[in-house]
C-alpha cells in the first residue's frame, strides 16, 4: 500500500486528533471524578463503595487502578505517544462493560453503552495510531 495522498492524510490526521481529544476529555473527566471527587464525583471512597456493591474483589484497590488508568490514559491520548500504556485503560473499560452489561445496553439503566463505546474507540485508536498531530515531536527525536 502506497503513501496516502496529502489531502486525505491531513483529514485523517485531523480525525484522529479529534478522536484522541474527545476520548482524553471523557477519560480525564470520569477519572478525576473517581480519583479526586471533582465534577460532583464521589471520590475514591464512593467509587470503592460502588465497586464493593458489585462484589468486586479488593474494591479500594480496583477503584484506585481504574481512576489512575483513566487519568494516565487521558494524558497518553493527548500526548499521542506510548499507546502501549493504554492497555490498563482498555482492561478497565472491558471490566466496566462486562460488569454493567448485566443491566443491558442502555446507559440510563446502568448498561454497557458507554464502556463498550470507549473500548471500541480505544482499540480503533491503537490500531490507527495517533496521526501526525502530536505535540512535542522532539521528545523522541522526531521519530514516529
Amino acid at each position: 500500500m502506497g503513501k496516502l495522498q496529502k489531502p486525505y492524510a491531513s483529514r485523517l490526521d485531523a480525525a484522529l486528533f479529534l478522536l484522541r481529544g474527545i476520548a482524553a476529555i471523557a477519560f480525564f473527566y470520569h477519572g478525576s471524578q473517581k480519583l479526586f471527587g471533582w465534577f460532583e464525583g464521589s471520590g475514591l471512597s464512593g467509587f470503592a463503595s460502588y465497586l464493593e456493591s458489585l462484589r468486586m474483589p479488593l474494591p479500594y484497590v480496583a477503584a484506585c487502578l481504574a481512576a489512575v488508568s483513566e487519568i494516565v490514559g487521558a494524558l497518553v491520548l493527548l500526548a499521542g505517544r506510548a499507546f502501549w500504556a493504554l492497555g490498563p485503560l482498555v482492561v478497565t473499560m472491558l471490566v466496566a462493560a462486562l460488569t454493567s452489561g448485566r443491566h443491558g445496553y442502555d446507559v440510563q439503566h446502568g448498561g454497557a453503552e458507554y464502556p463498550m463505546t470507549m473500548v471500541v474507540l480505544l482499540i480503533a485508536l491503537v490500531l490507527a495510531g495517533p496521526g501526525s498531530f502530536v505535540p512535542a515531536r522532539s521528545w523522541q527525536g522526531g521519530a514516529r
Side-chain angles (χ1 to χ4, degrees):
M1 193 162 146
K3 283 188 136 187
L4 296 174
Q5 295 176 350
K6 183 116 175 114
Y8 176 77
S10 296
R11 289 194 309 268
L12 179 60
D13 289 333
L16 290 169
F17 176 75
L18 290 172
L19 290 171
R20 283 185 11 243
I22 196 63
I25 290 168
F27 283 122
F28 182 80
Y29 178 81
H30 287 279
S32 62
Q33 284 181 313
K34 292 173 181 88
L35 192 60
F36 308 118
W38 294 352
F39 309 111
E40 299 179 24
S42 60
L44 275 177
S45 60
F47 184 52
S49 294
Y50 169 71
L51 294 179
E52 187 173 34
S53 76
L54 297 175
R55 300 187 189 276
M56 183 78 60
L58 302 169
Y60 193 81
V61 173
C64 290
L65 291 173
V68 169
S69 74
E70 288 185 273
I71 298 290
V72 170
L75 297 174
V76 167
L77 288 165
L78 284 176
R81 298 282 181 210
F83 270 26
W84 56 266
L86 293 173
L89 182 54
V90 171
V91 170
T92 296
M93 297 314 293
L94 280 171
V95 169
L98 293 171
T99 303
S100 58
R102 292 181 251 166
H103 304 289
Y105 182 72
D106 189 352
V107 73
Q108 292 182 15
H109 296 103
E113 178 182 349
Y114 172 78
M116 282 176 47
T117 300
M118 297 310 275
V119 165
V120 171
L121 176 59
L122 284 170
I123 291 171
L125 283 169
V126 168
L127 290 172
S132 64
F133 296 161
V134 178
R137 281 201 168 283
S138 63
W139 288 352
Q140 295 181 356
R144 285 189 134 188

